Amino acid sequence: MTGALTGAALLLFIGTGGGVLLEAIEHLKGGNAVIDRTLIAAMFLNVALILFGWFRYRGLAEELSQLSDADQRAKLLSQYDPLTGFLNRRSLIEEGAALFTGSLRRGKALALLTIDLDHFKTVNDVHGYAIGDALLTLVAEKISALVPGSSLLARLNADEFACAVVFDAAYPGVVDRIADRLIADLSKPFLIGETEVHVSTSIGIARSDIDCTSMDALLRTSDMALHAAKVAGRNRHAWFDGAMERSVQLRGELEAGLRVAVPNDAIVPFFEQQVDLTTGCITGFEVLARWEHPTRGAIGPEVFIPIAEGIGLIGDLSLSVMRQAFTAARDWDAGLSLSINISPVQLRDAWLAQKIIKTLVETGFPASRLEIEITESALFDNLPLAQSIVGSLKNQGIRIALDDFGTGYSSLAHLRALPFDRIKVDKSFVGSMLDNPDSMAIVNTIVRLGDSLNLPTTAEGIENAAIEERLRGMGCAKGQGYLYGRPLCAAQVRRLLAEKRLLAQRPDISARPSRGIAPRLAG
């Protein structure tokens, strides 16, 4: 509209302005020219319109320039990570697709390295987000300096980066060397102001010429390889292979199965005997979780427990197994106890003690017959919360055992910090004690330590009579392991206890000690 108005004014000025100006000049010189005031006014109006149009044009041009700059900035923000200047995930896929196709056309392969900073959250928690952001910037600079200049670099999320490198498919060692350099250099301390920060790095690598048909597939498979590197111990790199994908598929199937199995009490308790090493009598059972999968058969806890922890089902699973075990053991002899291991993940739940106590009340199982086992590693994350949970359980008469003693972080400190009733010696020491002098020394030291602190010890993993005899000679109070039989389901335990007359329905159960029950140990 402004342009049309300005154009019309300019044409009118050209058509009339020349004549009017000549008449005005003639009149000023004293000539006989008659000035048409209407035309003079029209001419000035045209001039004003032309000036207005010009300034408006300038203003519009500046506005368009600003809009263009804003669009450019928005475009850059949509393509690049503002902190590191690397591509973002979407741009990596877009630009990587062209690199993927180009490398294929040239007879080359494309390697995608997914780079993760191990335990980066701890840096933010300890030093603050400003230090964390500064660290990410320095890491990005180091990655840029260590990889080939033609590489595509991206930041995928908070602490995860990616690097796409074209290489000769016959020489994958080139990529190995890049990964090794990254791991070595990123493990060196970073100095941020006066703060020295240490991190390690895990890297997953996938290549376009093996089981990858697109950039999306390359990202997915490199992420699987990254997971494998973390599981293997972190601070290393791993190449993708087909077994990883099968593992992911199996995990997905088991995740789906657990979501159905846990609420339907399909994860059931099995019971491992615990015996008094002096008398050989059964004193109780450790509760173990077992899953009979409808299509895959028996699945061990070493497989499904980590999955349950990862998807947030471990609390519900544990309470389900407890409820079933408590119900099964209600009418066992009053001298038989149940020991139940608590996952480290559960110790992050401030309401854990209340949930366990509620389950005891609902099932009618006495708190005095329950022993909760806690591993040393579970105490490392939040000792004050663990102390609060243990205190609440102890107030209800529940006993607490420190499980896998000697395999954790600061055993003596934890023994002083928490009111344990028992120490359990890890089976890795017990099983090798006859063949390994170090294991023998460790077991002997733990038993003597327990004796000096008035904490009875239970040895796990007893598989033969020679180990049992040596433990008995050391003064170890209790033992468990395959020497005494495999773990049993509830029905099998009931038959065993019936044979030993250890079911509580006997009329004289409260009047005298039960046959086959060892004297109750102190604590």
Side-chain angles (χ1 to χ4, degrees):
M1 182 65 180
T2 303
L5 184 62
T6 304
L10 189 59
L11 290 173
L12 184 60
F13 178 77
I14 292 171
T16 62
V20 173
L21 283 174
L22 288 174
E23 289 179 0
I25 293 170
E26 183 67 24
H27 179 74
L28 289 173
K29 288 181 177 180
N32 297 323
V34 178
I35 297 177
D36 188 333
R37 297 183 181 277
T38 301
L39 289 177
I40 290 290
M43 182 190 71
F44 281 115
L45 178 61
N46 284 343
V47 171
L49 287 173
I50 291 169
L51 291 174
F52 170 78
W54 170 252
F55 287 117
R56 182 57 182 152
Y57 169 78
R58 289 285 304 275
L60 286 172
E62 289 179 4
E63 288 178 16
L64 287 172
S65 176
Q66 292 173 359
L67 286 173
S68 177
D69 290 344
D71 286 343
Q72 186 65 24
R73 285 195 298 272
K75 184 177 180 181
L76 288 174
L77 288 173
S78 71
Q79 292 178 329
Y80 295 93
D81 169 52
L83 181 65
T84 63
F86 283 6
L87 296 170
N88 57 29
R89 180 183 291 270
R90 188 182 69 179
S91 298
L92 174 67
I93 293 174
E94 291 173 355
E95 296 195 23
L99 195 61
F100 189 103
T101 304
S103 63
L104 184 66
R105 188 169 52 247
R106 293 160 48 203
K108 301 286 186 178
L110 182 65
L112 184 67
L113 292 77
T114 302
I115 306 160
D116 183 80
L117 302 183
D118 300 326
H119 305 300
F120 174 73
K121 183 178 181 299
T122 304
V123 176
N124 283 335
D125 292 343
V126 174
H127 302 291
Y129 288 96
I131 295 291
D133 285 349
L135 174 63
L136 291 172
T137 302
L138 293 175
V139 166
E141 291 174 359
K142 188 160 284 192
I143 291 173
S144 298
L146 291 172
V147 303
S150 58
S151 305
L152 284 182
L153 298 175
R155 183 184 176 202
L156 302 180
N157 56 40
D159 63 337
E160 194 171 301
F161 300 86
C163 172
V165 182
V166 176
F167 72 103
D168 189 328
Y171 300 99
V174 172
V175 182
D176 283 312
R177 287 191 290 274
I178 293 172
D180 288 337
R181 277 203 309 270
L182 287 168
I183 291 169
D185 276 47
L186 293 177
S187 67
K188 295 175 182 177
F190 290 86
L191 188 62
I192 303 171
E194 297 181 354
T195 303
E196 191 172 82
V197 181
H198 296 260
V199 291
S200 61
T201 306
S202 300
I203 300 177
I205 312 172
R207 50 191 292 175
S208 60
D209 57 334
I210 298 180
D211 296 328
C212 286
T213 57
S214 67
M215 194 64 191
D216 279 328
L218 203 58
L219 262 173
R220 186 174 63 86
T221 51
S222 68
D223 192 59
M224 291 182 199
L226 174 62
H227 176 73
K230 290 181 177 181
V231 170
R234 302 178 186 268
N235 199 34
R236 66 193 65 215
H237 73 272
W239 285 84
F240 169 77
D241 63 49
M244 294 176 186
E245 186 152 28
R246 290 190 293 274
S247 175
V248 168
Q249 291 171 348
L250 173 60
R251 182 184 175 91
E253 180 186 333
L254 295 181
E255 282 186 12
L258 278 175
R259 295 186 190 281
V260 175
V262 170
N264 288 292
D265 292 340
I267 312 294
V268 299
F270 270 54
F271 302 86
E272 183 176 6
Q273 297 179 48
Q274 296 176 327
V275 305
D276 185 305
L277 292 183
T278 301
T279 66
C281 296
I282 300 173
T283 63
F285 296 84
E286 179 174 355
V287 178
L288 308 171
R290 294 292 184 267
W291 182 17
E292 190 68 33
H293 193 276
T295 59
R296 294 189 173 274
I299 299 175
E302 72 282 357
V303 174
F304 66 79
I305 291 295
I307 296 175
E309 290 175 338
I311 61 177
L313 278 179
I314 189 61
D316 292 340
L317 186 155
S318 179
L319 291 174
S320 169
V321 171
M322 282 188 201
R323 187 176 297 107
Q324 296 175 70
F326 295 163
T327 301
R330 274 183 308 198
D331 63 349
W332 295 355
D333 191 285
L336 294 175
S337 63
L338 287 182
S339 298
I340 297 181
N341 196 283
I342 293 299
S343 162
V345 175
Q346 289 178 270
L347 275 181
R348 302 171 192 165
D349 180 3
W351 294 97
L352 175 62
Q354 287 72 16
K355 291 176 181 178
I356 293 174
I357 294 165
K358 180 174 182 287
T359 305
L360 287 169
V361 172
E362 291 173 347
T363 58
F365 188 78
S368 60
R369 290 174 57 195
L370 176 62
E371 185 171 270
I372 294 294
E373 299 182 4
I374 300 173
T375 60
E376 285 186 88
S377 58
L379 304 175
F380 187 67
D381 286 341
N382 193 334
L383 184 58
L385 179 56
Q387 289 173 317
S388 173
I389 293 170
V390 167
S392 298
L393 293 173
K394 292 277 290 182
N395 288 339
Q396 298 298 317
I398 298 169
R399 288 169 294 167
I400 308 296
L402 181 57
D403 195 18
D404 298 341
F405 186 79
T407 63
Y409 296 92
S410 53
S411 307
L412 294 177
H414 290 146
L415 284 175
R416 293 176 60 190
L418 292 166
F420 289 107
D421 300 287
R422 178 175 300 280
I423 300 173
K424 297 195 74 175
V425 187
D426 186 66
K427 61 184 178 183
S428 63
F429 301 129
V430 174
S432 62
M433 59 184 289
L434 296 183
D435 304 316
N436 187 323
D438 291 337
S439 294
M440 177 70 77
I442 290 171
V443 174
N444 189 50
T445 300
I446 293 173
V447 172
R448 289 180 179 276
L449 176 63
D451 185 58
S452 67
L453 297 174
N454 197 28
L455 294 176
T457 51
T458 297
E460 300 177 303
I462 301 176
E463 297 191 356
N464 59 63
I467 291 178
E468 180 191 50
E469 182 62 31
R470 186 60 64 90
L471 288 166
R472 187 184 298 116
M474 290 179 180
C476 184
K478 287 185 182 181
Q480 63 185 81
Y482 289 166
L483 175 63
Y484 312 108
R486 298 275 176 169
L488 306 171
C489 69
Q492 292 170 323
V493 172
R494 192 166 190 82
R495 286 195 293 270
L496 172 67
L497 297 180
E499 291 172 2
K500 293 180 177 292
R501 301 180 63 193
L502 292 175
L503 294 178
Q505 44 278 48
R506 289 182 292 136
D508 59 345
I509 188 69
S510 61
R512 58 186 175 83
S514 302
R515 285 182 58 192
I517 293 293
R520 296 295 298 276
L521 295 171

